[in-house]
Amino acid sequence: MRLVLGYQIHAVVKQVVEKELKHLGIKYKYHNSLNIELLEEIPNELHQKLTHILGEYGIQLKETQRDQFIQKVKDTVTEIVYGDSYQTVNTSNLIAEKLNLSYGYIANTFSTHTLNTLENYIILQKIERAKSMILSDEYTLTEIAYKLNYSSVGHLSSQFKKITGLTSTTFLRIVKQKNLLLTS
């Protein structure tokens, strides 16, 4: 039996963070998935312990304004790519609108501090989503291209191969073969 998972990353992060804050006895106020207010100062040792525990889940505390901004950009991209209405919008316009800043400023700041272009980061996220959609067997490649705002299946296929080194068909075949080996 194979389970195909779907999840809302913000909901998962919220549950993990709230569980760990409660476990450590830290009083907090939840604002949203990116912003939790601690209601009292905590000792440095407890802060380090919280940082370590959350790090085991792959969750990082963003301490500086710059880190917080970069994380907000990444979260916005994820929200857009994994959202339901993505196929009808221009990504750069939507990012600028959601962050209420010019796309040029956002892209320049992102590139300066991550050593990766925002455009490349968006492509990587789109390909990750395409991989999960391919594995779900719910969508055709044409539907995936449409949902991810590609101009054509050919455009999606060329980016998929450029990023993964595989065609989407080869990717699916390799994963299916691997799953067969694991279940036998």
Side-chain angles (χ1 to χ4, degrees):
M1 173 191 262
R2 178 172 65 127
L3 300 174
V4 178
L5 303 175
Y7 56 88
Q8 294 292 325
I9 192 69
H10 291 293
V12 173
V13 169
K14 177 184 178 192
Q15 286 182 336
V16 167
V17 172
E18 287 183 336
K19 176 185 150 215
E20 295 302 336
L21 288 171
K22 286 177 185 174
H23 177 74
L24 293 172
I26 299 173
K27 295 177 182 166
Y28 66 93
K29 180 179 179 184
Y30 182 82
H31 291 281
N32 59 48
S33 61
L34 301 177
N35 210 336
I36 297 172
E37 177 184 354
L38 301 184
L39 298 177
E40 57 192 22
E41 289 294 319
I42 61 172
N44 193 35
E45 290 175 13
L46 190 55
H47 187 274
Q48 288 176 347
K49 187 173 183 178
L50 176 63
T51 301
H52 175 74
I53 290 170
L54 295 179
E56 290 178 349
Y57 292 100
I59 301 170
Q60 301 169 344
L61 297 178
K62 299 300 182 180
E63 305 288 342
T64 68
Q65 291 279 9
R66 181 193 72 215
D67 289 343
Q68 292 171 10
F69 177 75
I70 298 301
Q71 188 61 48
K72 192 171 185 178
V73 173
K74 287 179 176 181
D75 290 338
T76 300
V77 170
T78 301
E79 179 184 318
I80 291 167
V81 170
Y82 285 83
D84 292 332
S85 62
Y86 183 50
Q87 66 267 14
T88 60
V89 296
N90 177 299
T91 309
S92 56
N93 289 344
L94 193 53
I95 291 170
E97 181 181 305
K98 285 184 172 285
L99 297 176
N100 201 25
L101 294 165
S102 79
Y103 183 77
Y105 173 80
I106 296 166
N108 286 337
T109 303
F110 189 90
S111 298
T112 300
H113 297 294
T114 65
L115 304 178
N116 189 10
T117 67
L118 182 52
E119 180 181 340
N120 192 52
Y121 183 77
I122 293 166
I123 292 168
L124 291 172
Q125 295 308 305
K126 288 170 71 171
I127 297 304
E128 285 304 310
R129 172 107 194 266
K131 288 183 342 189
S132 66
M133 292 172 84
I134 290 167
L135 293 175
S136 77
D137 275 341
E138 290 181 49
Y139 306 97
T140 66
L141 208 51
T142 302
E143 291 170 323
I144 294 170
Y146 175 74
K147 287 187 173 292
L148 295 178
N149 202 19
Y150 281 98
S151 58
S152 66
V153 174
H155 186 212
L156 166 60
S157 296
S158 68
Q159 276 194 348
F160 193 95
K161 182 162 175 114
K162 182 179 177 185
I163 298 298
T164 66
L166 304 168
T167 66
S168 55
T169 307
T170 304
F171 168 77
L172 183 58
R173 184 175 33 106
I174 289 170
V175 170
K176 284 184 176 182
Q177 286 175 345
K178 182 180 175 186
N179 286 339
L180 282 174
L181 289 173
L182 292 174
T183 57
S184 44

